[in-house]
Amino acid sequence: MQFTCSINDFNEAKQVIVGGVDSPVRAFKAVGGTPPFIHSAKGIYLYDEDNNRYIDFVQSWGPLLFGHCDADIESALIDTLKKGTSYGAPTTLETYLAKLIIAAVEGVDKLRFVNSGTEATMSAIRLARAHTKRDAIIKFEGCYHGHSDCLLVQAGSGLATFGAPSSPGIPDSITRHTLLARYNDIESVRDCFAKAPIACVIIEPIAGNMGLVPAKTEFLQELRALCDEHGSVLIFDEVMSGFRASRSGSFAFHKVQADLLTFGKVIGGGLPVGAFGGKDEIMHLLSPEGAVYQAGTLSGNPLAMAAGIAALSKIAHDSTLYERLETLANQLMDGFRQAADSQRIPLQTTVRGSMFGFFFNTAPVNNFDDAQKSDTKMFARFFRGCLERGIYLACSQFETGFISVPMNNEHIEMTISIASDVFKEIANGRI
Ligand SMILES: *Cc1c(COP(=O)(O)O)cnc(C)c1O
């Protein structure tokens, strides 16, 4: 496979865009080599500037549940586009998309749309602090909630990849209020509660940013109980898991209800959208009903709403969708594991709906410490081997993979067979 055009494009990009990318993980730092510059995409495939074709398991890092250029999303976008792209005034599209989310997810009385997951979690935390009149928050090592200051502490994938525990440029006076607990370890949460009055606990109930690491049901139940006992707000960050793990997000797996939830990715059908919502008694504190300020020039813009409505309507009308995707995800992970086993390469695999994850690790992964014991060099070899054979996986050991609706049994079997060749090459020391 040739990457000549991408190499040139990357060099040119680096002259004008920092690191050549608009989001750090795209730079391939963890796996080496040049990121393919994408020229176009259709269905399950990405095409790069050198005309290489890849089966896409990244799906723009989650949003594209229906793959690239889904006909219904595309036509909804074109119809809407012809009526104008933004009005800065309310539309019925916003109400419609809000209703689709509220109908699917437990515990959302009201919500508000923003432009990214980062904005959603940032605003949810502001609300939780206003509601409780407390400053301290608890987050978990390895969970990522976007790049706002108070949440950028031990935040998984992008940062893990760069080995930075946090980021320069964030005052201690801000992160001082962020207490860190260990995922799936309730004692570590109790320790945090003993240190300060807690405004909220924010968690990815199905963590996807340290690799795929679901929370244990009992752990979430205990977290719910601790928040109730202390009058703290429980925030589920379902920016990734919402409409990815199931139509009701993590609820289908754990039956634990949060006070506030955040969304993004799939709810925008491939356009930039985020949302936060939850109990009316907390949400009504938000301006203009209450005093907590939050705003956005392009928030709820008609294009993003139209794409989101098209995606969520398709989900609402397809009762077996997540079962089908989960079957394919299980098939893929079983195939990877068997192929790795036969070369005596240790591999841990996990599936939640259309989300899949695999760690080059000898032991099961329940938290960020476990995840970091993975063999990232082995991951890099596997990643490059797959890429060069037309399989586009997330370019870090600490990310989640995604099955999309247009994928079928044959695509999965083909991917397993390629992965199996790559494991053989690794075992023979050829790559
Ligand atoms: C992607 C993600 C975010 C951030 O969303 P952006 O749209 O990239 O700002 C927040 N939380 C989780 C769980 C995510 O996966």
Side-chain angles (χ1 to χ4, degrees), residues 23 90 307 309 322 342:
S23 199
I309 290 167
Y322 292 98
S342 72

Side-chain angles (χ1 to χ4, degrees), residues 61 115-119 121 144-147 204 209 237-240 262 265 273:
W61 303 92
N115 302 297
S116 68
T118 296
E119 282 181 65
T121 57
Y144 178 66
H145 306 292
H147 63 90
E204 290 180 78
N209 288 288
D237 180 356
E238 305 235 23
V239 170
M240 186 187 290
T262 56
K265 301 195 169 118
V273 185

